[in-house]
Amino acid sequence: MASITDGRTTGTRQRILYEASNLFAARGYHATTTREIADAVGIRQPSLFHHFRSKGEILQVLLTSDLDRSVALVESAASSPGPAADRLYDFLVADVELVCGSPYNLSGVYTDEVTADPDFQPWVEKNRRFEDAIEKMVRDGIDAGEFRRVDAAFVRDAVEGILLRALMSYSGGRAAPTNLAHDVATFVLRALLVDPAAMPSRSSDG
Amino acid sequence: MASITDGRTTGTRQRILYEASNLFAARGYHATTTREIADAVGIRQPSLFHHFRSKGEILQVLLTSDLDRSVALVESAASSPGPAADRLYDFLVADVELVCGSPYNLSGVYTDEVTADPDFQPWVEKNRRFEDAIEKMVRDGIDAGEFRRVDAAFVRDAVEGILLRALMSYSGGRAAPTNLAHDVATFVLRALLVDPAAMPSRSSDG
DNA sequence: GTCTATAATTGGATAGAC
DNA sequence: GTCTATCCAATTATAGAC
């Protein structure tokens, strides 16, 4: 399961990403200094610039490492055949497992101070695709009569809020409750389903 | 309804709080400079220190202005008599209306870079009370047979995630969808209720 | 690949005039 | 209550030795 390399034990580049992610979470991206990152890694401040061109490049790598996978997951789920309830449930399980399995603490990455920065514009486009795919699944479910007639944009925000909370609490190697992924999926589906008895109770690992 | 003063139009102190909240949201607290705040207000940087002892005091006031009200709301709901479903529903409506009605953009206030800072330790204690009260209402509902046998700690996190998302999107005078508060309450209650027909459909303004 | 040294800028906060 | 002037510490990034 933990196929992603552990940021603490690999080469210097991985150590920089790992320590930087923790500092971005604790201090914010803009306020985290390259000296603090270097100190945490155990090298001198100028040595960072052998591995990354700038502080911004460190953040870009962290950003991409998580968001690219999440977008792939959600767009696959949104464009697959089958009931929206099943697709949304499976996506939620997979995405919670993804963010909880990230070796990096992504709390400092998904904040306005990063996402509003013109330097990280590619993020905005990818995140819009992420949001659009969630909203599409919700509308699919409503159109098919599986889901209540909710405001799809509101549900998309609620889902993002729940996923973001999981990311803030459990990304970066912090142990998550074993049932978290299924709890998230069940919570959201229960809120949406017209008939709660139609709850998908699949387990991909069964 | 909008009984809280508008940060743009009142005295210098209120203007500082208003502009600072927007900058904390856009750049993060630690990275926002006192010069940026002063420029936004239209005064010189040292003039800030006539109104606030330090940059940290500005944040403390923002922190307290929102959290004190939210804690009062949730603790009142948690200790009131009556069905947990009704209490939780009414609290969610009131809290969403509270954060959406805040004159300050609180996105930069409820982040790890602030809440993990030793300077703002009082926040931690108040937020724990906020979380405990939510968790208590969930357990009340489970014990009374109103709610499914969910993990109360998970539900507390999910609710916080949804409320935080509303705060990030709509605090600071940004117009929120008219039905947001009831959508939030209905979403959460639907996820929890054993019998969806028991949904509280109260409106305090009816 | 890491180091020392340093350039060029910007940070929070104070002193004291008006 | 706002201003000018200023202190001292800390910032990102580069140059060049080893």
Side-chain angles (χ1 to χ4, degrees):
Chain A
M1 278 292 174
S3 64
I4 304 171
T5 53
D6 179 350
R8 282 162 305 198
T9 54
T10 331
T12 304
R13 189 185 157 89
Q14 292 301 321
R15 301 265 328 279
I16 291 171
L17 289 168
Y18 174 76
E19 300 293 350
S21 78
N22 283 323
L23 286 163
F24 292 163
R27 290 271 308 167
Y29 163 71
H30 289 107
T32 297
T33 70
T34 52
R35 224 174 286 271
E36 288 171 319
I37 300 172
D39 285 352
V41 173
I43 58 177
R44 299 293 178 178
Q45 181 259 344
S47 302
L48 282 182
F49 293 83
H50 177 79
H51 301 275
F52 297 93
R53 254 192 293 245
S54 67
K55 192 174 90 169
E57 198 183 64
I58 299 174
L59 186 74
Q60 268 186 19
V61 172
L62 291 174
L63 214 51
T64 295
S65 80
D66 181 69
L67 196 56
D68 282 357
R69 291 177 219 259
S70 278
V71 170
L73 268 182
V74 75
E75 292 194 332
S76 165
S79 64
S80 290
D86 292 357
R87 289 184 283 137
L88 182 57
Y89 189 99
D90 288 347
F91 156 70
L92 289 170
V93 169
D95 197 63
V96 170
E97 283 175 351
L98 180 75
V99 301
C100 291
S102 170
Y104 310 122
N105 185 336
L106 298 166
S107 299
V109 169
Y110 289 87
T111 60
D112 282 353
E113 74 158 311
V114 167
T115 63
D117 191 317
D119 289 356
F120 307 111
Q121 196 60 21
W123 183 92
V124 178
E125 194 255 337
K126 279 178 194 163
N127 197 252
R128 205 184 44 77
R129 285 168 55 191
F130 184 79
E131 293 177 341
D132 287 350
I134 291 176
E135 215 174 313
K136 179 186 180 297
M137 277 190 281
V138 174
R139 278 189 276 99
D140 285 351
I142 295 172
D143 293 345
E146 300 169 70
F147 296 163
R148 298 183 296 119
R149 302 204 162 279
V150 290
D151 179 340
F154 157 72
V155 173
R156 176 248 293 151
D157 282 349
V159 167
E160 268 197 294
I162 293 171
L163 292 176
L164 194 57
R165 185 81 193 173
L167 183 148
M168 292 196 306
S169 297
Y170 302 116
S171 68
R174 293 166 291 173
T178 42
N179 273 332
L180 180 65
H182 283 277
D183 280 350
V184 167
T186 302
F187 188 90
V188 172
L189 267 292
R190 181 91 187 186
L192 291 177
L193 285 168
V194 170
D195 174 18
M199 176 70 65
S201 56
R202 3 268 264 351
S203 53
S204 316
D205 41 24
Chain B
M1 273 294 171
S3 63
I4 304 174
T5 53
D6 179 349
R8 282 161 306 198
T9 53
T10 334
T12 304
R13 187 186 160 90
Q14 293 300 321
R15 303 264 327 278
I16 292 170
L17 289 169
Y18 174 77
E19 300 294 349
S21 77
N22 284 323
L23 287 162
F24 293 162
R27 292 268 310 165
Y29 163 71
H30 289 107
T32 298
T33 71
T34 53
R35 275 180 181 81
E36 289 173 317
I37 300 172
D39 284 352
V41 172
I43 58 177
R44 302 291 179 180
Q45 181 257 349
S47 302
L48 283 181
F49 294 83
H50 176 78
H51 301 275
F52 297 93
R53 254 192 294 244
S54 66
K55 192 175 88 167
E57 198 183 66
I58 298 175
L59 185 74
Q60 268 186 19
V61 171
L62 292 174
L63 213 52
T64 295
S65 80
D66 179 70
L67 195 54
D68 281 358
R69 291 177 218 258
S70 278
V71 169
L73 270 183
V74 75
E75 291 194 331
S76 165
S79 64
S80 290
D86 293 357
R87 289 183 282 139
L88 182 57
Y89 189 98
D90 289 346
F91 157 70
L92 288 170
V93 169
D95 197 62
V96 170
E97 283 174 352
L98 179 74
V99 301
C100 290
S102 171
Y104 309 123
N105 184 336
L106 299 166
S107 299
V109 169
Y110 288 86
T111 60
D112 282 354
E113 75 159 311
V114 167
T115 61
D117 192 317
D119 289 356
F120 308 111
Q121 195 59 23
W123 183 92
V124 178
E125 193 257 337
K126 278 179 193 160
N127 196 253
R128 204 184 46 76
R129 284 169 54 190
F130 184 79
E131 294 178 339
D132 286 351
I134 291 177
E135 214 175 314
K136 177 185 180 299
M137 277 191 281
V138 175
R139 278 188 276 101
D140 285 351
I142 296 172
D143 292 345
E146 299 170 69
F147 296 163
R148 297 182 298 118
R149 301 206 162 278
V150 291
D151 180 338
F154 157 72
V155 174
R156 177 246 294 150
D157 282 348
V159 167
E160 269 197 294
I162 293 170
L163 292 175
L164 193 58
R165 184 83 195 174
L167 181 148
M168 292 196 307
S169 297
Y170 302 116
S171 67
R174 294 166 291 175
T178 41
N179 272 333
L180 180 65
H182 283 277
D183 280 350
V184 167
T186 302
F187 188 90
V188 171
L189 267 292
R190 182 89 184 187
L192 291 177
L193 284 169
V194 170
D195 173 20
M199 177 70 64
S201 56
R202 3 269 264 352
S203 54
S204 317
D205 40 25

